[in-house]
Amino acid sequence: MGASHEDHHHTPDPHGRALRLGIGGPVGSGKTALTAALCRALGQSLRLAVVTNDIYTTEDADFLRRAGVLDPERIAAVQTGCCPHTAIRDDIAANLDAVETLEERFGPLDLVIVESGGDNLTATFSRGLADRQIFVLDVSGGDKVPRKGGPGVTTADLLVINKTDLAPMVGADLTVMSRDAAAVREGRPVLFTSVRQEPEAHAVAEWVTGVVEAWAHEHRHAHPHAHAHAHAHAHAHDADSPESSAHDTGSPEPGHGRDRTPV
Amino acid sequence: MSAPSLNAALLLLADSRLPAGGHGHSGGAEAAIAAGTVRDLPTLAAFLRGRLATSGLVSACLAAAACALSAPAAGSGTASAPAGDDAGERGMPSPAARGRAAAGVAGGLLGGWTELDAEADARTASPAQREASRVQGRLLLRTARRIWPSPVLDGLAEAVPEGAHHPIALGAAAGAAGCAPEEAALAAAYTSVTGPATAAVRLLGLDPVAVHRLLADLAPDLERTASTATAAVTPGLEQTVSTVIAPGLERAATAPSAHTADSPPPSPAPTASAWAELPAHSAPALDLLAERHLRAGLRLFVS
């Protein structure tokens, strides 16, 4: 279950399609909030769609739609029948179907985010579903969590430790978390955030932008639209998008849409 | 001639671990549990028996029909003799083998899928169930096309782009995997009860061994259902062969150069559906539960 960058060849036909980014992590760690933050930060520079995996009802999808960070039509909800980890790892059919339906409807896209249902430390995305994955922890689970490891913590392409603003209140030592995470992750990146305090999660958005650009560069030959420069998409996007007005004043720099008012 | 042995591919198709989206569906069990209809082992047993006798049997028929339509041409570009030989090896009588070979042309190239799919639609009163069945069919077909690549499965996906009903996708996948219609019917009957049983284990915390005992008790009924379904498919298959296939084959024989997969010859419109006489047992309570489930504020399963 390696989540290494080298292991893409299991993903069928990656050419000419969007990067598929999985966001996983325990219940309440901030996966939906991070997804919303990425939509705020990147919605102007990248052509985006989101698949949520709800445990109950369509809570997460509804939250994102209400947050107004993305055209509601570009958010699809998958229900997982008590098994959120199954839907992202063992039986990815419903998620793949949702991703491809979004790509057919709104494509070409640059990035499709698949947010998993809240799960445990062993949950990771199949490489058949996600090209890259972020695992989200929060400090309120205790500063020992990174040390405990588990495939999500150790192998995700990016580990995000959220709710740093709560660290003093729960007695979590961020230095310990950083040191332990580095020890188990063998050099893979770790970012600390507080999405509540920083609703566009700039550092994570920048990491995602870099990954999307690298992906597009790697697979550009097969698809004329999947080129590396995300900021050029603001124009191409306007022609065929019903919410094009939201993109007319888009920030030219990916990951730096800070002056855009979140709605 | 010994009885045909079980095709091992059937085990893969019937396995709940087949990555085809089945884990997200409870077959009405979640709604039945929410309504208090299913609450313990005896009520679950009654639910499963009722489901098998109604939608389970209909699913088995549709799966057998789809398998008969798909098996011979699977894995080859044409409905050719080797497929018939394969059927013969499996102990099928040779007229049936020929019929299957010919019907494969109908399923793959002449549009037999839309007719069979319409029959499934007509037997699924609840819109929620229709949607659940089509979604599961689409997911299963997506998976099966990668596992058992076949022009017949491609043809089914093309003929019913919104997603064929699940039993049809199951039957077609079984055919592509080399299974016989009765095996496809058995798989359909089996999954019609194992899905809800597993969901009940998760939702009610029932003893999983006790629930599997219930399923084991149903085994003779599963086999009877498969036999009934296979027998029920024969008239429709014969009609398909006589009204659709034979003229199609004659045309193909007289103008071989005009026949390509890209431009299939037009199908003569049959006067009545070949599959109209397939069993149509309904379960109004399941229909109502499916509709109620769709509107439930809190649910774990898609259906």
Side-chain angles (χ1 to χ4, degrees):
Chain A
M1 171 101 28
S4 65
H5 283 255
E6 297 78 33
D7 193 23
H8 323 145
H9 57 276
H10 294 303
T11 307
D13 189 24
H15 292 284
R17 62 159 173 80
L19 175 86
R20 296 167 183 177
L21 175 68
I23 298 184
V27 177
S29 60
K31 295 180 296 300
T32 309
L34 180 63
T35 302
L38 292 175
C39 290
R40 283 188 200 98
L42 304 174
Q44 294 181 351
S45 55
L46 297 178
R47 297 167 296 188
L48 272 175
V50 173
V51 177
T52 65
N53 281 238
D54 289 294
I55 306 179
Y56 314 105
T57 69
T58 52
E59 180 83 21
D60 293 341
D62 292 343
F63 173 86
L64 285 174
R65 292 185 182 117
R66 277 198 308 274
V69 292
L70 196 65
D71 172 11
E73 296 279 296
R74 290 174 177 251
I75 302 167
V78 167
Q79 282 170 311
T80 59
C82 302
C83 289
H85 52 276
T86 301
I88 61 165
R89 186 182 60 202
D90 310 297
D91 181 355
I92 58 178
N95 271 306
L96 274 183
D97 189 61
V99 169
E100 289 178 10
T101 300
L102 286 168
E103 289 212 71
E104 281 167 21
R105 239 182 118 190
F106 299 105
L109 299 171
D110 301 307
L111 173 65
V112 180
I113 296 173
V114 181
E115 182 202 334
S116 83
D119 213 302
N120 57 48
L121 295 177
T122 66
T124 51
F125 284 82
S126 161
R127 283 284 156 187
L129 174 63
D131 304 306
R132 298 288 183 273
Q133 50 194 307
I134 297 177
F135 199 78
V136 185
L137 292 176
D138 71 292
V139 302
S140 61
D143 58 20
K144 63 188 179 303
V145 174
R147 187 163 60 245
K148 287 183 173 179
V153 170
T154 58
T155 68
D157 297 295
L158 174 67
L159 178 67
V160 170
I161 297 176
N162 189 28
K163 305 188 189 178
T164 51
D165 52 313
L166 297 182
M169 284 168 255
V170 297
D173 186 336
L174 297 182
T175 314
V176 167
M177 295 184 89
S178 177
R179 187 194 61 211
D180 291 347
V184 297
R185 285 177 54 74
E186 298 175 344
R188 296 187 191 86
V190 181
L191 292 173
F192 287 81
T193 62
S194 167
V195 175
R196 181 180 287 275
Q197 292 182 332
E198 192 201 18
E200 297 193 9
H202 299 301
V204 182
E206 269 173 43
W207 181 87
V208 172
T209 300
V211 165
V212 169
E213 290 186 355
W215 175 265
H217 181 73
E218 192 179 339
H219 301 289
R220 65 183 167 178
H221 299 300
H223 197 292
H225 296 288
H227 55 85
H229 304 290
H231 57 263
H233 288 152
H235 308 293
H237 191 57
D238 293 342
D240 56 2
S241 171
E243 76 291 354
S244 58
S245 60
H247 299 267
D248 287 336
T249 56
S251 164
E253 291 302 317
H256 294 276
R258 298 174 192 201
D259 53 349
R260 185 181 166 205
T261 309
V263 273
Chain B
M1 187 178 293
S2 61
S5 59
L6 183 75
N7 187 320
L10 183 69
L11 300 176
L12 293 173
L13 264 176
D15 194 333
S16 66
R17 286 167 292 194
L18 181 75
H23 71 95
H25 295 260
S26 79
E30 185 175 14
I33 288 165
T37 310
V38 171
R39 55 195 174 276
D40 51 19
L41 285 170
T43 50
L44 175 63
F47 180 88
L48 296 178
R49 285 193 180 281
R51 197 166 198 280
L52 179 59
T54 54
S55 71
L57 174 60
V58 172
S59 293
C61 291
L62 293 166
C67 183
L69 282 178
S70 70
S76 70
T78 58
S80 54
D85 292 346
D86 175 58
E89 282 167 20
R90 298 182 56 75
M92 297 290 293
S94 108
R98 281 205 304 275
R100 283 162 39 129
V105 180
L109 300 175
L110 289 182
W113 293 126
T114 47
E115 191 177 60
L116 187 60
D117 192 70
E119 293 295 335
D121 234 20
R123 284 162 176 74
T124 315
S126 148
Q129 277 194 333
R130 286 186 186 183
E131 176 63 16
S133 174
R134 288 196 182 283
V135 167
Q136 290 182 85
R138 191 169 73 234
L139 298 187
L140 174 57
L141 193 57
R142 151 201 292 287
T143 298
R145 287 171 77 186
R146 284 182 60 195
I147 302 176
W148 298 284
S150 146
V152 169
L153 296 184
D154 297 344
L156 175 57
E158 195 175 315
V160 194
E162 69 271 34
H165 278 283
H166 181 258
I168 295 174
L170 179 60
C179 297
E182 186 160 5
E183 292 173 326
L186 186 59
Y190 172 80
T191 54
S192 79
V193 292
T194 51
T198 307
V201 169
R202 294 189 209 158
L203 292 169
L204 289 172
L206 297 176
D207 177 351
V209 180
V211 171
H212 258 68
R213 171 66 192 268
L214 289 185
L215 293 171
D217 290 344
L218 282 174
D221 298 282
L222 296 179
E223 288 167 1
R224 266 196 296 278
T225 303
S227 297
T228 305
T230 311
V233 159
T234 306
L237 190 56
E238 285 171 356
Q239 187 182 331
T240 303
V241 170
S242 64
T243 61
V244 180
I245 310 307
L249 289 183
E250 281 166 22
R251 276 198 307 276
T254 52
S257 61
H259 174 82
T260 69
D262 293 333
S263 57
S267 168
T271 51
S273 166
W275 308 108
E277 300 305 318
L278 282 186
H281 298 60
S282 66
L286 283 178
D287 295 340
L288 293 171
L289 286 171
E291 291 300 312
R292 183 187 289 188
H293 184 71
L294 200 61
R295 288 159 184 77
L298 195 154
R299 56 196 170 108
L300 292 153
F301 290 86
V302 182
S303 71

